[in-house]
Amino acid sequence: MITSLYHLMLLIENVAHIGPSNRTQHFDAIASACTGRLNDALAIHRQYTQVDQAIRGVQLYHTLLLRLHEILYTYCDRSVPEELNALHRLEEVLENIEFLFKRDINPLTLLPQHHEEHIRHYIDLHLECTLDKLRLKQIPSTYLDEVQSAMASLLQRGKIPYMQYHHQHYLIQLIDALRQLADDERQHKNWPSRFLILMINFNFNHIGFLNRWKELYESDPAPTENLLRYPQHFSAIPGFAYDPNRSSLLTLMCQYIEKETADNQPSSDIPNRFIHSNLNGKELKLWLHLCVKANLTRSSEKKEAAEEFSKLVKTKEGILLSVHSLTKMDKGSEFSAAVHIRRVLKTMLNELHEKFPELNG
């Protein structure tokens, strides 16, 4: 297939050496040489008798087109109509090949600049206003800031991960999904949870986003523990990833939780026996706090008591909380837990008075 590009290749490779008086004529010749390239490529492709040869032929053809586009993009003056027309004609050939043979093109191939500019324009047009709407849905700003930072990083040339062909559809569909979430006007929905599910399904495995999730998990593991209780229920889109060289976001989350749990379990050969409570993470944390304050634990230091709790008492989801999670208090987000614990304490007090009526006197 690449032999059909020989004449076009000679014209484009000589662009850097063409004098000012011959540029218009030369770029017109490049535009004319682009005519019929697609038909020639299809005719040659039909001559392949083996699938692997056909795939290899498409990949070589596409690689050469990308190289020619990079040269022409570098040396043409896009303010001159004839030169811009030649560039657009070459891009039409490139995009037609990508559309017809998209299954044969390696998704890890670096994305050419005209595609990158289209994505940049789409991000500039929609991302900021979408994130502003998501902030109104009480989605943590640390998450949204990392999304914005990750997009800027991906568009920065020379910075890993590089913009690749799989990003061409991945980023557009991710932004569209975020826009749909932001514009959803239904009431009484758990938007932070829905946002995190969306990011897991789109495999937004940006390391900064993962680190922000770790911080929020350490401060309050309950929402994530409830969310990841059945990881098999997630429907991640095959082949989608912010960084295809890194494990999926769901895998990284589960591995982190498993490690946190393992670090808090005793390293004894004796089988572990646990107290399986009926409290969620926030409620169990508050219960420990009250036990320490009421002098029900041997140690009056919450951290020391938490070390024992972290090895023995599970939440109702079957999770052992870390020492850090058990000791870090946030009164602003734990009111509902306090309401439930007060109800539990009232039930216990009523039971005590029923067993010992003389206490009422």
Side-chain angles (χ1 to χ4, degrees):
M1 289 176 67
I2 60 174
T3 56
S4 65
L5 292 176
Y6 183 69
H7 178 57
L8 180 62
M9 180 178 67
L10 291 179
L11 288 171
I12 292 178
E13 287 183 340
N14 286 324
V15 165
H17 310 292
I18 298 300
S21 60
N22 297 323
R23 285 184 69 87
T24 299
Q25 182 180 358
H26 193 83
F27 276 92
D28 285 341
I30 291 174
S32 297
C34 290
T35 303
R37 290 308 99 216
L38 181 61
N39 290 333
D40 291 344
L42 291 173
I44 297 173
H45 184 266
R46 285 194 291 268
Q47 297 176 13
Y48 289 113
T49 58
Q50 296 182 2
V51 174
D52 58 340
Q53 290 180 344
I55 293 174
R56 181 61 177 164
V58 169
Q59 290 177 345
L60 289 173
Y61 190 87
H62 184 245
T63 299
L64 182 54
L65 278 177
L66 288 176
R67 177 176 174 274
L68 297 179
H69 177 268
E70 184 179 7
I71 295 172
L72 194 60
Y73 191 93
T74 301
Y75 288 103
C76 81
D77 185 347
R78 291 187 289 279
S79 65
V80 178
E82 293 79 8
E83 300 189 20
L84 182 61
N85 177 58
L87 181 63
H88 284 170
R89 295 288 294 279
L90 179 61
E91 289 174 352
E92 287 177 5
V93 176
L94 182 60
E95 290 171 9
N96 284 330
I97 292 296
E98 290 166 353
F99 176 77
L100 293 173
F101 300 106
K102 56 186 173 183
R103 291 189 177 182
D104 296 337
I105 293 173
N106 187 348
L108 302 184
T109 303
L110 296 185
L111 199 64
Q113 294 188 57
H114 70 293
H115 286 320
E116 193 174 309
E117 288 176 355
H118 172 71
I119 293 174
R120 185 188 301 274
H121 175 72
Y122 199 83
I123 290 174
D124 290 343
L125 188 63
H126 297 293
L127 183 61
E128 187 172 354
C129 62
T130 299
L131 296 181
D132 287 341
K133 291 179 181 178
L134 290 174
R135 293 181 203 279
L136 299 177
K137 294 181 179 288
Q138 307 306 312
I139 294 171
S141 293
T142 54
Y143 281 159
L144 302 179
D145 291 343
E146 283 299 335
V147 171
Q148 194 162 31
S149 174
M151 296 295 184
S153 176
L154 199 57
L155 290 170
Q156 188 173 341
R157 295 185 67 82
K159 193 170 184 179
I160 297 175
Y162 301 123
M163 185 81 81
Q164 299 167 336
Y165 264 89
H166 84 276
H167 287 116
Q168 187 177 12
H169 301 293
Y170 172 79
L171 293 177
I172 300 297
Q173 293 187 42
L174 172 61
I175 291 175
D176 285 347
L178 290 172
R179 290 173 63 194
Q180 186 179 40
L181 186 70
D183 293 335
D184 194 328
E185 296 181 352
R186 290 179 294 174
Q187 301 296 318
H188 310 299
K189 297 296 181 180
N190 188 341
W191 298 118
S193 177
R194 288 172 178 264
F195 170 79
L196 200 55
I197 290 172
L198 186 152
M199 302 309 278
I200 292 173
N201 285 337
F202 271 84
N203 191 14
F204 194 75
N205 57 349
H206 174 59
I207 191 64
F209 186 86
L210 178 67
N211 288 337
R212 300 296 82 74
W213 167 79
K214 288 179 181 178
E215 292 169 359
L216 291 176
Y217 173 79
E218 290 175 358
S219 65
D220 182 10
T224 297
E225 288 164 0
N226 292 332
L227 190 66
L228 299 183
R229 189 176 182 183
Y230 301 106
Q232 67 271 22
H233 290 176
F234 287 94
S235 54
I237 303 173
F240 268 25
Y242 174 84
D243 186 351
N245 296 315
R246 184 177 291 135
S247 299
S248 72
L249 179 60
L250 180 59
T251 298
L252 293 170
M253 285 177 166
C254 291
Q255 287 176 346
Y256 180 78
I257 293 175
E258 289 173 4
K259 182 179 181 301
E260 285 288 292
T261 303
D263 288 343
N264 292 320
Q265 290 180 353
S267 57
S268 172
D269 293 333
I270 302 174
N272 293 323
R273 295 183 180 179
F274 305 104
I275 297 174
H276 203 137
S277 77
N278 200 31
L279 304 176
N280 64 29
K282 290 183 179 180
E283 293 162 355
L284 186 59
K285 178 166 49 176
L286 184 55
W287 184 259
L288 170 64
H289 174 79
L290 296 175
C291 287
V292 173
K293 289 296 184 181
N295 201 27
L296 294 181
T297 57
R298 177 174 297 182
S299 174
S300 60
E301 294 293 330
K302 187 189 294 187
K303 185 175 181 180
E304 292 180 1
E307 289 176 355
E308 298 300 320
F309 255 63
S310 67
K311 299 174 185 177
L312 181 63
V313 186
K314 287 186 175 183
T315 66
K316 66 179 180 181
E317 296 82 15
I319 302 295
L320 289 172
L321 300 183
S322 67
V323 174
H324 179 80
S325 298
L326 285 166
T327 54
K328 187 168 184 178
M329 299 289 289
D330 181 8
K331 295 181 180 178
S333 65
E334 293 169 356
F335 181 77
S336 59
V339 172
H340 181 256
I341 293 297
R342 185 176 67 170
R343 190 180 305 122
V344 170
L345 291 173
K346 283 185 176 180
T347 301
M348 295 170 68
L349 187 59
N350 291 337
E351 178 66 18
L352 190 61
H353 285 173
E354 184 178 338
K355 291 293 182 182
F356 302 97
E358 60 272 20
L359 291 174
N360 296 321

